[in-house]
Amino acid sequence: AEYLRLPHSLALIRLRNPPVNALSLAVVNGIREGLQKAMSDHTIKAIVVCGANDKFCAGADISSFSRSSPGISFGVVVDEIQRYEKPVVAAIRGVALGGGLELALGCHYRIAHAEARVGLPEVALGILPGARGTQLLPRLIGVPMSLDLITSGRPVGADEALKLGILDVVINSDPVEEAVKFSQEILDKPLEPRRLLNKSVPSLPNMDSIFSEAFAKVQKQYPGFLAPETSIQALQAAVNLPYKLGIKEEEKLALYLQKSGQARALQYVFFAESSVHKQSPPSVASWQTASPQPISSVGVLGLGTMGRGIAMCFAKAGIPVVAVESDPKQLEIAKKAVTSMLEREASKMQQSGRAWTKPTLTFSSSADMLCESGRFGQKTGKGWYQYDKPLGRVHRPDPWLSEFLSQYRETHHLESRSISQEEILERCLYSLINEGFRILGEGIAASPEQIDIIYLSGYGWPRYRGGPMFYAATVGLPVVLEKLQKYYTQNPDVPQLEPSDYLKKLAAHGNPPPKDWQSLAGPPGSKL
Ligand SMILES: CC(C)(COP(=O)(O)OP(=O)(O)OC[C@H]1O[C@@H](n2cnc3c(N)ncnc32)[C@H](O)[C@@H]1OP(=O)(O)O)[C@@H](O)C(=O)NCCC(=O)NCCSC(=O)/C=C/CCCCCCCCCCCCC(=O)O
């Protein structure tokens, strides 16, 4: 941070840490030193705090999280600012997020450009606003809005922030110039009403139900995700405890989250999301330049309207199709429909003088044995379970199924055994992860981050678990390898369980972090 003396007995502290003025140790020390200089210089009457390059501050430097416990000592700085006897005015342009907004909440006044955005997005990183954010914001704007902003992490525009009372002035001109003028106008005003730490949280008669509704909402919306729930606990502390004790509770809860695997996963996701746009596969191939993989045949399950259309598309492209339909009536209808569609296509082509090769389309009426017994799951009230009614959701074990399975085992000479939750999870996830390693080894994905972001964005993998490849690193690659080897030995007919060479190469290095995988595993092949 830079310290500048301005005319009219003012000092300016400017955060400078491109590209977003994130709070590193050096920036925090710079802020502190600047404030001390201004306080000890009796010619300085007020201080303006701003950020360089049209951004106030995007909060703590996320890349430093693995090295330290952010928030705890910065909260002391935020309190010191509030207690100063000279007015401190935040001049906000661009963003004031996380620790950036906490810094601004420590200031006695906040002036922002109309296009600025402010917020406490810490939950998205698996943590909470631990530098007084959970204690100061409710004192400023009340509990309901603080709950909304902190548990969602949603930033708000300057106009909304002004209405909520987070900002004091919003302007369309330069906020630093405005803050300089403003500082001179408020020099004689008492500072005590501006010190949030000495205020109490506005009380409401139904505070208990507000909190219980908030807990219920986040548990429903984000099941298993620690940060929103823990943030609510910190807000409860703001209501129930005096400031001195509230900040201790905030620190305790912040530390708990910072040490959680969820915070590590979400911080990985933050950088993974920004890096994937910049990566291309090692072969430099892309979807625009890659040649398609050969397809020898295609299977289509279900011959409703969609299934028929899909089967037709492949058949027309000359790719053999095997279509499976469990309902004999539906199968007959589909056969007729597809045959007539193909004949129409053939006659159109013959009329236009183009050659026509009859496509290969094989129908199979082999069906899922349960479906053949009329057990289609919830919709028919029975499947693997018995349901309370057709479309019902209450299920119970079905003696019919036990009998069916025991006959099946007898026919196929299978021995029954109980399978633990752990084995189910490992066989499903590790075979998925194994495929991820194959894809990396083949050079189809450019990085483990790409696979993870696809899983987070497209397959509903919980963000706070970081994606399958990150999960593999948290379990430990040698563990994943050992388990795959064990399951493959037990099930040699399941190729997905055969450990990939890429995983073997990496596990030989112990458990390297995903960012080092490619350099350690050597050049990948290129199937693209
Ligand atoms: C809205 C954004 C800020 C900007 O968006 P956009 O304009 O689209 O640009 P991007 O492409 O997203 O970002 C540009 C590059 O900047 C990087 N970036 C962004 N924010 C951060 C950040 N906070 N830390 C690090 N790097 C950041 C981003 O990755 C891009 O990099 P690259 O070009 O790809 O290389 C948007 O970026 C955004 O929303 N950012 C996240 C904002 C956020 O979540 N903030 C909350 C952070 S958590 C927090 O603030 C916690 C506060 C606790 C108190 C603070 C304590 C500070 C103490 C510091 C002491 C450190 C000790 C260190 C010890 C040691 O060093 O040993």
Side-chain angles (χ1 to χ4, degrees):
E2 302 158 347
Y3 180 81
L4 288 150
R5 284 183 60 103
L6 299 181
H8 312 294
S9 304
L10 296 179
L12 180 79
I13 296 173
R14 187 187 287 128
L15 281 58
R16 187 181 289 280
N17 186 15
V20 291
N21 301 324
L23 296 166
S24 62
L25 200 56
V27 173
V28 174
N29 286 339
I31 297 171
R32 236 179 167 161
E33 280 161 24
L35 288 165
Q36 275 157 9
K37 254 189 219 165
M39 290 305 142
S40 56
D41 183 341
H42 66 275
T43 65
I44 296 294
K45 300 259 185 312
I47 301 117
V48 172
V49 179
C50 69
N53 302 320
D54 291 341
K55 285 194 180 74
F56 185 73
C57 170
D61 180 350
I62 300 165
S63 62
S64 73
F65 281 7
S66 50
R67 300 193 293 272
S68 65
S69 309
I72 283 153
S73 54
F74 191 62
V76 175
V77 182
V78 172
D79 283 349
E80 278 171 5
I81 299 174
Q82 300 188 69
R83 292 198 178 100
Y84 283 142
E85 291 302 337
K86 299 177 185 180
V88 184
V89 181
I92 302 169
R93 230 188 218 287
V95 288
L97 298 174
L101 179 57
E102 289 170 310
L103 170 65
L105 291 175
C107 298
H108 302 108
Y109 296 92
R110 287 159 291 279
I111 294 180
H113 188 270
E115 282 168 17
R117 281 181 303 135
V118 304
L120 295 172
E122 281 87 340
V123 283
L125 298 165
I127 54 173
L128 57 72
R132 312 298 189 247
T134 65
Q135 305 302 296
L136 296 180
L137 193 66
R139 285 174 160 78
L140 183 62
I141 65 169
V143 169
M145 272 322 289
S146 301
L147 275 168
D148 173 16
L149 296 188
I150 292 178
T151 60
S152 69
R154 140 183 107 87
V156 291
D159 285 340
E160 187 178 349
L162 181 68
K163 279 190 206 132
L164 291 173
I166 299 175
L167 299 174
D168 300 296
V169 180
V170 171
I171 34 98
N172 271 308
S173 48
D174 178 7
V176 175
E177 278 176 22
E178 207 59 41
V180 165
K181 273 191 244 153
F182 183 85
S183 310
Q184 291 161 278
E185 288 161 19
I186 46 94
L187 279 181
D188 299 329
K189 295 219 168 131
L191 284 177
E192 187 49 29
R194 308 299 307 178
R195 294 188 176 110
L196 295 176
L197 82 178
N198 289 341
K199 284 181 182 286
S200 51
V201 177
S203 76
L204 289 167
N206 54 342
M207 208 60 107
D208 284 348
S209 60
I210 291 176
F211 278 113
S212 39
E213 276 166 31
F215 277 119
K217 185 176 165 196
V218 298
Q219 279 157 2
K220 185 162 180 229
Q221 210 170 349
Y222 318 105
F225 184 15
L226 299 173
E229 257 188 77
T230 313
S231 303
I232 301 176
Q233 289 171 19
L235 283 161
Q236 258 180 327
V239 172
N240 298 332
L241 300 173
Y243 188 73
K244 245 186 175 172
L245 297 180
I247 60 175
K248 289 261 166 310
E249 188 62 15
E250 183 193 74
E251 279 176 15
K252 194 185 92 191
L253 295 168
L255 207 60
Y256 159 70
L257 287 178
Q258 278 157 26
K259 289 192 167 158
S260 72
Q262 296 196 357
R264 273 192 298 279
L266 284 161
Q267 287 147 28
Y268 161 83
V269 170
F270 176 80
F271 289 111
E273 272 178 336
S274 57
S275 70
V276 291
H277 302 295
K278 299 171 198 155
Q279 296 167 347
S280 52
S283 60
V284 201
S286 75
W287 64 270
Q288 287 151 313
T289 56
S291 49
Q293 293 287 303
I295 300 170
S296 54
S297 66
V298 167
V300 178
L301 297 182
L303 281 174
T305 318
M306 286 278 281
R308 279 177 233 160
I310 294 168
M312 271 293 296
C313 286
F314 283 109
K316 275 169 64 184
I319 297 170
V321 180
V322 177
V324 178
E325 173 54 62
S326 59
D327 179 351
K329 256 199 224 154
Q330 181 75 356
L331 181 64
E332 269 321 298
I333 298 171
K335 266 186 191 173
K336 281 190 193 136
V338 171
T339 312
S340 95
M341 277 194 274
L342 289 174
E343 277 167 8
R344 273 206 308 276
E345 195 69 26
S347 92
K348 262 197 250 161
M349 286 182 79
Q350 275 158 0
Q351 278 166 23
S352 66
R354 283 176 290 159
W356 166 253
T357 333
K358 195 172 191 299
T360 335
L361 198 62
T362 317
F363 296 97
S364 161
S365 59
S366 73
D368 183 328
M369 290 171 84
L370 285 188
C371 294
E372 275 177 357
S373 314
R375 304 176 70 92
F376 294 105
Q378 281 181 350
K379 65 181 171 189
T380 52
K382 54 189 179 179
W384 287 108
Y385 295 99
Q386 257 177 3
Y387 294 87
D388 51 335
K389 55 180 183 221
L391 295 175
R393 292 190 163 263
V394 184
H395 65 282
R396 59 175 194 280
D398 190 341
W400 180 93
L401 192 83
S402 312
E403 183 49 36
F404 166 80
L405 289 177
S406 90
Q407 275 175 19
Y408 185 87
R409 281 194 297 268
E410 226 177 279
T411 316
H412 296 275
H413 311 291
L414 297 172
E415 249 178 62
S416 76
R417 68 178 178 103
S418 61
I419 300 177
S420 66
Q421 298 267 16
E422 191 191 11
E423 181 176 343
I424 296 171
L425 182 117
E426 289 173 351
R427 283 182 55 179
C428 292
L429 288 190
Y430 294 175
S431 50
L432 166 75
I433 289 165
N434 199 29
E435 188 58 27
F437 282 116
R438 278 207 189 98
I439 289 172
L440 285 172
E442 287 166 352
I444 289 176
S447 67
E449 286 90 349
Q450 281 196 340
I451 298 174
D452 283 337
I453 295 305
I454 286 169
Y455 262 83
L456 299 178
S457 327
Y459 291 89
W461 187 283
R463 283 177 79 80
Y464 59 79
R465 298 234 185 273
M469 306 319 280
F470 178 84
Y471 179 74
T474 60
V475 174
L477 302 191
V479 177
V480 176
L481 176 61
E482 186 200 314
K483 293 284 172 104
L484 280 168
Q485 266 157 349
K486 180 180 111 181
Y487 293 128
Y488 185 54
T489 310
Q490 290 167 358
N491 305 277
D493 56 325
V494 183
Q496 292 85 345
L497 292 170
E498 184 180 7
S500 74
D501 290 341
Y502 198 85
L503 168 60
K504 285 186 201 158
K505 272 191 218 163
L506 289 178
H509 293 275
N511 187 31
K515 67 178 170 45
D516 295 343
W517 288 359
Q518 277 153 307
S519 57
L520 289 172
S526 179
K527 278 223 173 171
L528 276 183

